[in-house]
Amino acid sequence: MNSPLLKNWKVQLLIVMLLLSAGIILVKGIQLGIDFKGGTILTFRFDHPLTQNQIQQATLIISKRLDLTGLSSISVKAWGDQYLIVELSETDPQKIKEIVNSVLRQGKFETVVDGNVVLTGKDIVAVSPPVIYPSAQAGYNWRVPFQLSPEGVKRFYNGVHGKCDVTGQHCAYTFMYIDRPAGAVILMPKDLYEQEQKVPIEPNINSTGTRVDLNEFIINAGAKLIVVDKNTQIDVNALKSATMVILPPELNYVVPLLKENNIEYKIVEPRKNVPWIWTATNLQSVVRLTPGVTNVSPDNANPELVIEGWAPNKEAAQRTTMELKVLLESGALPAGLKLVSESRVPATYGEYLFYTFLIALFAAMIAVAAYIAIRYREWRVTGPIILTMASEITMIFAFAALVNWKIDVASMVGIVASTGTGVDDQIVITDELIRGRRKEGEQGKKKGMSVFARIKRAFFIIFASASALTVAMIPVWFSGIPALKGFALTTIVGVLVGVFITRPAFAEILRYVLHKEKKGE
């Protein structure tokens, strides 16, 4: 580090950040979106046509479910008044299946006591961060607290009033559901029915806690139970009147009968260590009421309630609570959905397009550097300009890799936009230093403005421009449109990287280069 330039902390910061960025890219790689990598296009159809407001609401709800950050290159678009198109940069069949299941969930939250709905998702105003902790027996317990609106508080506490006797020995249970199968018929094999005669109120099949009769689970789910075996004669008319038939995989032999009679059905796979009836009814939590809840006045009631559950491991608990939190926050879809088509997007053209973008970026860098060099007749400035612009692009890609942000066309446009502001700033800095130096030579050092004053004036302009652009991008980020989030964030990250790292270093490098040139080195 004999060179005074390398001893400058601004240049040192640029070098450190550049090396760190290169390391992140080499380790994690750059994740590309569907525009560049290829992926999957899913087409869904609603049960019936929706109004314009409803279709916009459904688009935003599904966008929130699939992409919490807006950086995963998941696009949700409405087509007409009954279709949704979901584009995602994913081809793994298992992950595609999980995404489809997430979209198909209507997300209707209900709390039921003694078969009566006492709370819905419309009564929820806020959802707190989940709490996960080890269970006393095995696995992990979890809690998702949520806040009720004043109307929700009245509905709930009026609905549970008197549901405990004075001793507190006999109290009802609250059953909390996401997409309760009200009006459905549940088919259970005889052996499964015998196993689940008494169901634990925790979703742990091995729980030693309180157990409740299966019939109470069925009543609160708003469904009808039919126990069958190989010798059972199924009443087709009873099934036709149901909203849906729910059955486990071992009753697959009933499916031809259901198809023959155009009866909608759903095969529910069992989950490890979880009672099948929990999964079949989309039950989320069962909580026993207490006299302190059932006898309180709504005016003095606590507006916070909790959904509680159990998971076999911490990862499953985190996945379950995050999905539940998103469903509660995003709300219910205005109608049911069906998947009507699934197609793959080839990656060949997309990769070509990505590299075309990169070539265009570097060609623009060289063109800008050449233009500035010709304009100021200073060819030694081309190196610092190219280095600065390349550093900015590298750091943006590193940030993307670090937060698992998938680069799509909108993101690349944002990179171009932020790089464009960098060009403006470099021109301002170059103009101040070169023109100022020439004026200093013509008028004398005492009459000219100092180098530091000229740099300070340049950065006043740069900070003002960057602040205006950042403020302009904030509404775009919060617009709720995922396709624009990547554009907004790339622009903001690019501007911040430029203002605080690359452009201060560029000013120091250019000042050093011009100083050496002046001395004839």
Side-chain angles (χ1 to χ4, degrees):
M1 277 199 180
N2 293 325
S3 171
L5 181 63
L6 296 179
K7 295 179 181 179
N8 187 289
W9 71 268
K10 297 175 183 177
V11 177
Q12 290 176 351
L13 177 62
L14 174 65
I15 294 172
V16 170
M17 293 303 296
L18 193 56
L19 291 175
L20 184 62
S21 298
I24 292 172
I25 293 174
L26 287 174
V27 173
K28 299 201 68 174
I30 299 173
Q31 298 188 47
L32 302 179
I34 189 172
D35 301 327
F36 300 127
K37 180 185 175 183
T40 304
I41 297 179
L42 305 170
T43 303
F44 297 88
R45 185 180 66 190
F46 286 102
D47 295 340
H48 55 79
L50 304 180
T51 65
Q52 189 63 31
N53 287 338
Q54 287 176 326
I55 202 78
Q56 290 177 356
Q57 177 193 13
T59 302
L60 290 176
I61 288 173
I62 292 176
S63 297
K64 288 179 182 178
R65 288 185 190 178
L66 299 183
D67 189 5
L68 295 178
T69 62
L71 305 178
S72 299
S73 187
I74 296 178
S75 170
V76 182
K77 304 173 185 175
W79 181 34
D81 59 3
Q82 203 171 351
Y83 290 88
L84 280 181
I85 311 297
V86 177
E87 299 177 354
L88 53 146
S89 55
E90 187 60 69
T91 55
D92 180 23
Q94 183 58 37
K95 291 185 178 179
I96 295 293
K97 183 179 178 181
E98 292 174 2
I99 289 170
V100 169
N101 290 338
S102 179
V103 173
L104 292 179
R105 297 195 71 173
Q106 190 169 354
K108 185 179 180 182
F109 173 75
E110 292 175 301
T111 298
V112 184
V113 178
D114 286 342
N116 299 313
V117 178
V118 297
L119 202 63
T120 69
K122 294 180 181 179
D123 299 312
I124 298 175
V125 294
V127 183
S128 302
V131 178
I132 300 172
Y133 54 96
S135 173
Q137 300 172 3
Y140 284 80
N141 293 325
W142 54 260
R143 306 170 79 247
V144 179
F146 59 92
Q147 300 285 330
L148 299 180
S149 65
E151 295 77 12
V153 172
K154 291 180 181 178
R155 285 191 60 193
F156 178 77
Y157 286 95
N158 287 332
V160 302
H161 182 72
K163 295 297 181 180
C164 277
D165 61 13
V166 291
T167 65
Q169 296 297 314
H170 302 285
C171 295
Y173 294 89
T174 59
F175 291 76
M176 298 183 183
Y177 299 90
I178 297 287
D179 298 335
R180 185 172 66 112
V185 169
I186 299 175
L187 301 181
M188 287 186 75
K190 191 173 181 180
D191 57 345
L192 181 60
Y193 173 74
E194 291 173 352
Q195 290 175 20
E196 300 194 359
Q197 276 289 300
K198 295 287 186 179
V199 185
I201 64 169
E202 294 181 7
N204 178 2
I205 201 168
N206 299 316
S207 174
T208 58
T210 306
R211 290 177 178 260
V212 178
D213 286 341
L214 175 63
N215 287 335
E216 188 166 352
F217 277 74
I218 299 298
I219 290 170
N220 283 282
K224 180 181 178 182
L225 177 65
I226 297 178
V227 182
V228 300
D229 59 24
K230 288 286 187 179
N231 300 319
T232 302
Q233 186 69 33
I234 298 177
D235 183 2
V236 176
N237 292 326
L239 302 184
K240 285 183 177 180
S241 61
T243 56
M244 179 184 290
V245 173
I246 301 172
L247 63 159
E250 52 262 46
L251 293 182
N252 272 332
Y253 64 86
V254 181
V255 171
L257 176 66
L258 301 176
K259 289 183 177 179
E260 181 183 340
N261 289 276
N262 295 319
I263 297 172
E264 189 172 352
Y265 68 93
K266 179 183 179 182
I267 298 176
V268 177
E269 299 282 346
R271 289 187 293 163
K272 187 177 180 181
N273 293 328
V274 177
W276 183 80
I277 196 63
W278 272 77
T279 308
T281 57
N282 293 322
L283 184 60
Q284 303 297 314
S285 180
V286 180
V287 180
R288 186 176 183 270
L289 292 169
T290 62
V293 173
T294 60
N295 298 327
V296 71
S297 167
D299 297 329
N300 302 318
N302 184 357
E304 182 179 90
L305 295 181
V306 176
I307 301 177
E308 299 178 332
W310 175 89
N313 52 63
K314 191 173 184 179
E315 292 72 22
Q318 290 172 336
R319 185 171 59 252
T320 300
T321 52
M322 181 55 66
E323 180 182 350
L324 181 58
K325 186 174 186 292
V326 171
L327 287 171
L328 293 175
E329 288 177 334
S330 61
L333 293 173
L337 273 176
K338 290 183 180 178
L339 177 66
V340 294
S341 72
E342 177 180 331
S343 58
R344 298 286 186 267
V345 178
T348 306
Y349 176 73
E351 290 179 355
Y352 171 78
L353 182 63
F354 176 71
Y355 290 117
T356 302
F357 255 109
L358 287 182
I359 292 170
L361 269 176
F362 285 105
M365 288 163 44
I366 294 172
V368 168
Y371 166 76
I372 294 177
I374 293 172
R375 177 181 176 181
Y376 295 105
R377 298 185 300 277
E378 296 282 359
W379 288 97
R380 297 178 74 173
V381 305
T382 57
I385 290 173
I386 294 175
L387 172 65
T388 303
M389 296 176 72
S391 299
E392 284 185 23
I393 295 170
T394 302
M395 290 179 201
I396 294 173
F397 281 138
F399 176 81
L402 192 63
V403 299
N404 297 319
W405 154 27
K406 294 183 179 179
I407 302 293
D408 56 9
V409 168
S411 301
M412 288 298 289
V413 171
I415 293 173
V416 172
S418 63
T419 306
T421 64
V423 171
D424 293 340
D425 296 344
Q426 287 165 343
I427 290 176
V428 171
I429 294 170
T430 305
D431 192 75
E432 286 292 334
L433 288 177
I434 293 180
R435 288 182 183 270
R437 187 189 63 173
R438 289 174 180 173
K439 287 181 180 179
E440 183 181 295
E442 293 170 0
Q443 300 176 3
K445 188 173 183 180
K446 292 183 179 179
K447 294 182 180 181
M449 185 182 292
S450 71
V451 173
F452 294 104
R454 291 195 297 269
I455 292 177
K456 184 178 179 180
R457 185 169 68 177
F459 271 91
F460 175 81
I461 299 172
I462 291 169
F463 274 108
S465 174
S467 300
L469 184 59
T470 302
V471 170
M473 287 296 107
I474 291 175
V476 179
W477 169 260
F478 289 105
S479 66
I481 304 174
L484 295 180
K485 285 190 174 182
F487 168 74
L489 192 63
T490 43
T491 304
I492 293 172
V493 171
V495 168
L496 295 179
V497 165
V499 168
F500 293 107
I501 301 176
T502 60
R503 286 155 213 178
F506 170 76
E508 295 299 325
I509 295 171
L510 185 61
R511 186 169 68 88
Y512 177 77
V513 168
L514 294 177
H515 179 70
K516 286 188 67 177
E517 182 185 30
K518 183 179 178 181
K519 292 174 64 176
E521 297 179 20

